[in-house]
Amino acid sequence: MTDIVCREVRSRMMAGIHSKDTQPELIVRKWLHAHGYRFRLHKKELPGKPDIVLPRYHSVIFVHGCFWHRHEHCRYATTPGTNSEWWMKKFQKNVERDKKVMKELEEMGYHILVIWECEIKDKSYIEKTVKFFEEIR
């Protein structure tokens, strides 16, 4: 299957994707702050530079894009038709890195919450986040 846009347009679209301060991340941060949670962002000292670090709770939150981090059974975790072998390798490395980072953080005693992009779209992250904080208190 060929791409529906030309190379230049696809390149421009991909260049617009950032790893920090994404819209889903900003939504979660706004919700946390509004509910009295204080946090740090992208602490370089921690494995994987978590999106949100809550030192008081010894917890981290990752806000993962379904496409990049391969959210299982999610309609947003599609694989491009062009150069799909390269994409599959790329996605596999992302998933392996995520597992490694989670393991390292758990060994350091951190509580970990992963919020997926699709959970933000349907607002199910709110219930998931509330439950997370109830469990770690």
Side-chain angles (χ1 to χ4, degrees):
M1 182 174 153
T2 60
D3 202 347
I4 60 172
V5 295
C6 67
R7 279 195 128 150
E8 292 78 24
V9 171
R10 177 64 61 202
S11 178
R12 193 170 51 245
M13 290 166 67
M14 297 306 280
I17 298 171
H18 300 285
S19 62
K20 293 181 180 178
D21 301 328
T22 62
Q23 192 64 35
E25 191 179 317
L26 294 175
I27 291 168
V28 172
R29 286 170 18 192
K30 184 177 179 179
W31 185 91
L32 287 168
H33 195 270
H35 287 82
Y37 295 102
R38 299 301 177 249
F39 49 84
R40 299 284 173 253
L41 302 175
H42 312 288
K43 285 192 77 167
K44 293 179 180 119
E45 306 83 42
L46 294 177
K49 293 187 269 182
D51 298 316
I52 300 167
V53 180
L54 297 114
R56 179 178 180 184
Y57 301 98
H58 205 63
S59 301
V60 297
I61 299 175
F62 288 96
V63 182
H64 281 337
C66 299
F67 176 78
W68 294 105
H69 296 272
R70 308 316 288 167
H71 189 199
E72 288 187 38
H73 311 296
C74 178
R75 67 185 184 122
Y76 300 111
T78 59
T79 302
T82 306
N83 206 4
S84 56
E85 188 176 316
W86 180 87
W87 280 105
M88 293 306 290
K89 288 178 186 174
K90 166 78 173 147
F91 294 144
Q92 185 60 36
K93 285 183 201 172
N94 288 353
V95 170
E96 288 170 5
R97 184 181 62 245
D98 289 345
K99 287 178 184 175
K100 180 180 176 241
V101 164
M102 301 290 176
K103 185 178 181 216
E104 290 174 6
L105 287 167
E106 285 174 353
E107 289 171 355
M108 295 172 74
Y110 278 88
H111 304 280
I112 302 166
L113 174 63
V114 175
I115 298 176
W116 293 95
E117 171 187 19
C118 62
E119 293 173 333
I120 292 167
K121 291 179 182 185
D122 70 11
K123 300 205 184 305
S124 65
Y125 79 94
I126 296 171
E127 183 179 325
K128 184 178 181 179
T129 306
V130 169
K131 185 178 177 186
F132 173 75
F133 283 110
E134 286 173 355
E135 290 174 1
I136 64 172
R137 283 188 178 173

